Amino acid sequence: MYPRIVRIPLPFDIAGIDAITIYSFGAMMAVAFLVAAYLTRIELDRLYRLGRLKAVRVPAPGRKGKKGRAHTVEASPSHLVGTITVVAVVGGLVGAKIFHIVDHFGDFLADPAGMIFSGGGLTFYGGLIVATASISWYVKKHGITLSLFADAALPTVLLAYGIGRIGCHLAGDGDWGIASDPAARPAWIPVFLWAETYPNNILGQTLPETGVYPTAIYEFLMAAFLFCILWVQRNHPFKPGWLFALALVFFGIERLLIEQIRINNTFDLFGLAVTQAEVISVILILVGAVGLVRTSRRRTPIPT
């Protein structure tokens, strides 16, 4: 594994820090956000050209209005993607850390500061929920139709999620599956897709010699495949929110499947040992299914 991409020594020591380290997980997260932002911008521009999204007011470059205030012009909602990405990053990191602490509360009580300030320990669903709430507030504030924005953004988030999982794989941060059985590996599946030992994992855990299922790779492949399906369906004839609902179902199914072979903390729910991710996955599937039913009516064509 490659938890650290490069370490750049500093010519002087700053508060005990003598080098800048670029971690593979952080680098892949940055790539994930940039890809999601780029694709979301493309889709928002398309919806704007079709007349399905209204213009928003944005500052005009280099122009000042009365009393030194920035002069504004009407433009495609895609001009807000940069700020929306910042909102998503901050909300996502905060939510991911909070949900991870809840899921590992015993470890948090043992070392609160260590868990809070650790570069690892992030729960995707927590990040998704808080980031979604933050983005929804910002989008509604600027008068953008939330259901259309969700249709444009959530499919790209699914792809970004898969890219982020590659960061987990490279870091070897604990996102892995149960022990694999080498004897059961089909001949057509490469060894690296069946078993991985993560010898340099940043958690320092000793894994089975036979290896564990590299679930992060599986999630990337599933996320990329499901994103392609969603991207092809962008011109669907149904009401706004349909693609968002379908993406929720895909999110839930993908994670629910991977949880069956993934190592995670469980808790008792009505006599069943379940994980936090399994519960949230089922909720997403149900919410998405209801959304599909409510939006599976053909929308009224926009006059041209």
Side-chain angles (χ1 to χ4, degrees):
M1 295 302 100
Y2 305 93
R4 298 172 182 83
I5 297 178
V6 63
R7 185 176 183 274
I8 306 173
L10 295 175
F12 43 81
D13 189 298
I14 304 177
I17 301 175
D18 60 358
I20 297 175
T21 303
I22 299 177
Y23 293 90
S24 53
F25 178 77
M28 293 308 299
M29 287 296 293
V31 171
F33 278 110
L34 290 174
V35 169
Y38 174 73
L39 294 175
T40 299
R41 186 186 296 272
I42 289 176
E43 181 60 4
L44 289 176
D45 279 337
R46 186 184 74 88
L47 293 173
Y48 178 66
R49 289 194 303 270
L50 292 175
R52 298 185 62 197
L53 276 176
K54 296 180 181 180
V56 296
R57 304 294 301 187
V58 298
R63 296 181 63 184
K64 294 292 184 179
K66 295 180 179 179
K67 298 181 180 180
R69 295 178 181 175
H71 183 75
T72 61
V73 295
E74 290 191 340
S76 166
S78 67
H79 285 73
L80 300 177
V81 168
T83 303
I84 290 173
T85 301
V86 174
V87 172
V89 170
V90 175
L93 291 176
V94 171
K97 180 63 70 172
I98 290 174
F99 272 63
H100 179 75
I101 289 174
V102 171
D103 206 24
H104 300 80
F105 197 66
D107 296 335
F108 171 72
L109 293 177
D111 184 15
M115 180 167 283
I116 291 175
F117 296 105
S118 168
L122 299 172
T123 299
F124 168 74
Y125 274 146
L128 178 64
I129 291 171
V130 176
T132 298
S134 303
I135 293 171
S136 298
W137 167 80
Y138 184 82
V139 166
K140 292 180 68 175
K141 174 184 175 183
H142 286 272
I144 303 173
T145 303
L146 186 56
S147 56
L148 282 174
F149 180 84
D151 279 349
L154 196 59
T156 72
V157 173
L158 181 55
L159 178 61
Y161 170 71
I163 295 173
R165 282 308 188 202
I166 294 298
C168 294
H169 175 73
L170 293 175
D173 71 346
D175 180 20
W176 49 62
I178 59 177
S180 61
D181 181 4
R185 178 178 67 86
W188 57 272
I189 295 182
V191 174
F192 76 91
L193 284 178
W194 189 260
E196 177 60 67
T197 57
Y198 295 104
N200 300 317
N201 68 81
I202 61 177
L203 298 182
Q205 296 186 15
T206 302
L207 302 181
E209 292 184 2
T210 57
V212 296
Y213 291 115
T215 55
I217 296 180
Y218 301 163
E219 289 205 83
F220 166 72
L221 295 174
M222 286 192 288
F225 174 71
L226 294 175
F227 163 76
C228 290
I229 295 177
L230 293 171
W231 193 252
V232 171
Q233 295 297 319
R234 289 178 300 153
N235 291 315
H236 67 85
F238 305 114
K239 295 180 65 176
W242 182 85
L243 199 64
F244 168 76
L246 182 59
L248 286 182
V249 173
F250 281 177
F251 258 117
I253 291 175
E254 182 277 325
R255 189 57 186 268
L256 190 60
L257 289 176
I258 208 67
E259 283 295 298
Q260 308 314 303
I261 59 169
R262 188 172 182 268
I263 298 295
N264 227 332
N265 290 339
T266 63
F267 63 93
D268 183 79
L269 181 65
F270 305 121
L272 298 174
V274 298
T275 68
Q276 181 192 91
E278 285 177 324
V279 173
I280 299 177
S281 294
V282 171
I283 293 174
L284 289 181
I285 293 171
L286 293 176
V287 171
V290 172
L292 287 174
V293 172
R294 292 175 63 88
T295 58
S296 291
R297 295 186 297 275
R298 291 183 178 271
R299 62 176 181 264
T300 302
I302 297 176
T304 57

